[in-house]
């Protein structure tokens, strides 16, 4: 965690200013959702008495906690494969995500949950805020080690804002279906990250290239990130699907796609290595592409074999992209982002 | 894991004796809760047929597993930041927690779930037993590296007993509301730990001070503990709330408070460092204070902005306390314990 | 990740062939379960309108995700205590499990979910596929460091097939009750692994014995595996139990048995060490035996004290077995497998 010590007051001041602004905006705009507010529930129960179990909380909360783990442990540890930045990776990811979820609750709230003069926040808003921050984590991967925490906070501020506008245009105006957020989250995040990298690019940065080597223990930490992302992806893709069979189907489809993706990633990684060895970085990145690619269609009647085909193709395309450097920087940004060429 | 080898039979004998006593007491006193017992359910279903989904299990079980992870992985790995004690930290935490949950099931059972001659155990009892052990884990942080496993087991025996009496007085006699257990769990745990440290204090212990330095990988392990505590805190505060909107609200409030706390902790940590750097130990400890402080009021109509204010203040107070050494030992005990000055 | 580089095309070819075969078989045989298919639900709802909450998804999904973590993080990291194989352990476990779950969906589907010309896949099938792969992970422990990924894939192919036949004979033909899969999963896995080790045994393998030493950080990684297995075992044993009180009871019984097992494992480990120290490998392995042993009877009216007795005995037997080398190789196979002598 090294940055210009002459500017030492910038981080504290910006953190406090942002947090004060958030407190004020929450005070003015944010209230509880009807499912979290006893007054609304009283009215509802007078009309027709329902079970407590019908609360949105019980439909969404287990998936929410899984998504939360993906954002903080999954993305945080995924980046530790870069030896020197392992520590910053986890810590800075923590900082930007904690700020991002608050700002996302507001931005997404204004677009999607604003009525009767207030943003109404429930567990589904928490999940969507985590999704939005997932997009920032993807972009963070592209700029890791090149930016200070202050720059990261500013990047998060802009990206969450743009994300929400983009999401509003795609989902509300164009009425695109994008359950797992392949377009809004992963592709957007990857290209945003690339753009930021391009803006920040200075030739002198090449000198620090040797810092990017991985070490043994760093890789094991990175596997913690990879595995939690991989395991919980079915929750990611089904967290905000419709109740019942749609949520059920989204989980099954993602499970199938992810499993298929592992085998084709291993096959390509081994085939493209001159000694036939496996490169763990390929595995870490490509295996997740299956979850991203199936995201958009996860709750549709894709059929299990359809999901396997998606995973099959993704494992190949993303490993190829990684090895041939065509999509190198994109892939660096995030496991997920290696899929866009197929998604689009 | 070093202790006086002359006393080598003490640990096995005490472990076996304690476990035999627990088996006998469980045999005499503990039976299943009505929701886990088919005979009771038969009666209930004759009266008015309800869905299987109305079983307490489905309201509480996902939160229970999250709390379980907090106790064993969260608190276990949190302490690994002390280089030499990393290993003992995880192992001893495992031992004391495994003993503590059994003893807590009995002690809390006698006070709260005893009727018809038996303690009736269901998933809510399991959560409360985990909560009680959470208090022991907080105290454990204050004595880490100073006590043997035998002493830890005895400390657990006493602390769980006192915890249950204290909880009974606060919740049942004084009818205090303390959903997230800020008072019963965290403050009690911190002061119990401090008292034990004070009793065990010997000047010679200062000589081993150099053992307390952190190393790079230890810090990454400690981040695993921190993050699992941070991520699952909404489950901690909502696990035993009332069904429906109260549980929903407790999760939202905790989510908001925790997020705000991260930004102010980072601000203070950077502002108080002479070169403006971040101290990861501050972040690890202070970020969790937001979860503790909001605990008592988590299920109330605190409003999202109210939760942000709680987190805002906590991040500042606990980092300040940590740096100025006013609450140094308390803070060492646990991230959580840095909040009491504000809570009380 | 070292294997014969002359055979470098074998792994990619086998991976791709297996995955193509799986895609074709899924295309011919696999469709969605009625709870994941809107057409079936439409019919059901016309008959008697039920809540979305009655979907099997909400009864099983949280447990499914816990089991998923046990298979990929739990078993993956458990084996990292062997210094040199830590990395292969996580990676190869990932590969074999990703292949295994797909093949298990088919094999178990033909035996248990085949009707109207199709295998119907729902969340319960996903859990059972994970269980089946759990058995492969147990066997994998016995052959770690002795086999190439290609051999592992072939072993998985055979073991999943045999597992499904064995499971069909035990559960469907002999109508044995085995909720937690102590027999079908753990005992079968351990003996399958032993058989494979026996087939692969060559005297020259002894030369690489010094590779099997553990190092400090490896042990902390292994504790991540151990703890996630230990914490989520209640979900493992209750995941496919009957709705309501049976699932509730299975979780309580497993929780009790696991806690008791920790104390007796520690007692025996310390008593059998000549200086009274604890051996973390005992703790890692024996503590889990309590979960395995209670598996078969988990949903029965075992009573909490009955579960404690099961855990008590298991901790002693499995640590004794480990130390006296009677069951040495079995124990190496998996924490779980140290129980069979008691289970059978």
């Amino acid at each position: 965690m090294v940055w210009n010590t002459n500017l030492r007051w910038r981080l504290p001041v910006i953190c406090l200013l942002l947090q004060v602004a958030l407190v004020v905006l929450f005070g003015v705009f944010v209230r509880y959702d009807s499912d979290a507010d006893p007054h609304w529930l009283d009215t509802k129960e007078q009309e027709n008495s329902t079970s407590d179990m019908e609360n949105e909380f019980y439909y969404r909360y287990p998936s929410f906690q899984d998504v939360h783990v993906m954002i903080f442990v999954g993305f945080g540890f995924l980046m530790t494969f870069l030896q020197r930045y392992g520590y910053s990776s986890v810590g800075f990811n923590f900082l930007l995500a904690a700020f991002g979820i608050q700002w996302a609750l507001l931005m997404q709230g204004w677009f999607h949950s604003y009525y009767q003069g207030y943003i109404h926040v429930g567990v589904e808003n928490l999940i969507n805020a985590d999704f939005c921050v997932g997009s920032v984590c993807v972009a963070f991967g592209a700029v890791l080690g090149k930016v200070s925490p202050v720059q990261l906070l500013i990047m998060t501020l802009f990206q969450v804002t743009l994300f929400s506008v983009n999401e509003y245009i795609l989902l509300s105006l164009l009425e695109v279906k994008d359950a797992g957020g392949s377009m809004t989250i992963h592709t957007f995040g990857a290209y945003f990250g690339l753009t930021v990298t391009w803006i920040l690019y200075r030739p002198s940065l090449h000198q620090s290239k040797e810092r990017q080597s991985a070490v043994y223990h760093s890789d094991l930490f990175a596997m913690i990130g990879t595995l939690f992302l991989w395991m919980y992806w079915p929750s990611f893709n089904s967290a905000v699907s419709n109740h019942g069979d749609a949520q059920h189907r989204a989980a099954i489809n993602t499970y199938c796609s992810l499993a298929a993706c592992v085998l084709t990633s291993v096959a390509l990684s081994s085939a493209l290595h001159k000694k036939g060895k496996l490169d763990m970085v390929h595995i870490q990145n490509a295996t997740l592409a299956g979850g991203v690619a199936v995201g958009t269609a996860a709750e549709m009647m894709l059929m299990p074999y359809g999901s396997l085909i998606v995973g099959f193709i993704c494992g190949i395309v993303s490993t190829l992209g990684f090895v041939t450097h065509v999509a190198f920087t994109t892939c660096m940004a995030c496991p997920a982002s290696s899929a866009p060429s197929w998604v689009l």
Side-chain angles (χ1 to χ4, degrees), chain A:
Chain A
M1 301 209 173
V2 184
W3 65 90
N4 194 332
T5 51
N6 297 328
L7 310 165
R8 60 165 291 206
W9 291 104
R10 279 173 67 172
L11 181 65
V13 168
I14 284 179
C15 280
L16 289 175
L17 277 182
L18 286 174
Q19 193 58 58
V20 168
L22 287 167
V23 169
V24 172
L25 288 168
F26 267 63
V28 176
F29 289 109
V30 182
R31 294 296 178 271
Y32 296 119
D33 190 354
S34 59
D35 269 6
D37 192 325
H39 308 301
W40 287 56
L41 286 170
D42 288 349
T43 331
K44 207 164 72 178
E45 266 161 33
Q46 281 171 359
E47 285 164 27
N48 58 336
S49 79
T50 54
S51 158
D52 280 335
M53 212 14 125
E54 287 300 315
N55 196 306
E56 196 70 10
F57 182 77
Y58 301 104
Y59 284 102
R60 308 277 183 215
Y61 190 71
S63 306
F64 158 66
Q65 279 291 9
D66 294 347
V67 171
H68 218 41
V69 172
M70 290 173 73
I71 301 300
F72 289 89
V73 162
F75 283 114
F77 278 91
L78 185 68
M79 306 300 171
T80 54
F81 68 87
L82 296 176
Q83 183 180 5
R84 212 188 134 74
Y85 300 116
Y87 206 54
S88 314
S89 160
V90 180
F92 289 0
N93 187 68
F94 193 21
L95 175 63
L96 75 85
F99 165 62
I101 53 180
Q102 297 178 71
W103 180 232
L105 279 177
L106 285 167
M107 281 303 302
Q108 295 182 317
W110 281 316
F111 281 122
H112 302 290
S113 313
Y114 190 77
Y115 49 89
Q116 300 181 350
Y118 292 114
I119 294 165
H120 293 84
V121 166
V123 68
E124 198 170 338
N125 298 64
L126 306 188
I127 297 172
N128 280 318
D130 271 19
F131 279 178
C132 177
V133 164
S135 161
V136 183
C137 296
V138 170
F140 173 47
V143 300
L144 185 64
K146 303 188 184 74
V147 291
S148 72
V150 172
Q151 288 173 310
L152 277 177
L153 286 172
I154 295 166
M155 182 181 107
T156 306
L157 183 71
F158 279 103
Q159 190 173 354
V160 168
T161 312
L162 268 175
F163 176 96
S164 306
V165 174
N166 181 48
E167 188 189 44
Y168 178 71
I169 294 170
L170 282 177
L171 304 191
S172 299
L173 300 187
L174 303 180
E175 294 185 12
V176 167
K177 272 283 195 189
D178 191 29
S182 304
M183 280 175 275
T184 55
I185 300 168
H186 306 292
T187 314
F188 176 77
Y191 285 109
F192 192 95
L194 279 181
T195 312
V196 174
T197 317
W198 179 75
I199 293 168
L200 294 175
Y201 182 79
R202 285 184 307 278
S204 63
L205 283 170
H206 273 300
Q207 294 165 2
S208 61
K209 232 177 188 174
E210 77 283 2
R211 285 185 180 172
Q212 295 191 2
S213 61
V215 285
Y216 191 83
H217 276 306
S218 298
D219 269 338
L220 268 178
F221 280 112
M223 279 306 285
I224 295 175
T226 308
L227 285 173
F228 274 102
L229 284 169
W230 192 89
M231 293 181 303
Y232 284 155
W233 216 286
S235 293
F236 195 92
N237 284 349
S238 67
V240 295
S241 297
N242 290 332
H243 293 173
D245 62 289
Q247 221 174 341
H248 199 156
R249 210 158 46 240
I252 296 171
N253 286 337
T254 312
Y255 179 93
C256 290
S257 174
L258 287 166
C261 197
V262 173
L263 265 87
T264 52
S265 302
V266 167
L268 265 281
S269 176
S270 171
L272 294 170
H273 189 283
K274 59 188 171 193
K275 284 185 179 169
K277 286 189 185 177
L278 294 174
D279 185 333
M280 271 324 249
V281 176
H282 298 165
I283 313 299
Q284 282 165 12
N285 289 326
T287 49
L288 301 174
V292 177
V294 87
T296 301
E299 66 179 74
M300 297 180 192
M301 290 297 290
L302 203 59
M303 291 296 153
Y305 69 90
S307 313
L308 289 189
I309 293 172
V310 171
F312 190 99
I313 296 170
C314 267
I316 291 176
V317 170
S318 72
T319 312
L320 267 180
F322 204 102
V323 175
T324 57
H325 290 244
V326 169
F328 181 74
T329 329
T330 320
C331 292
M332 283 301 289
C334 166
S337 62
S338 34
S341 53
W342 183 85
V343 176
L344 295 175

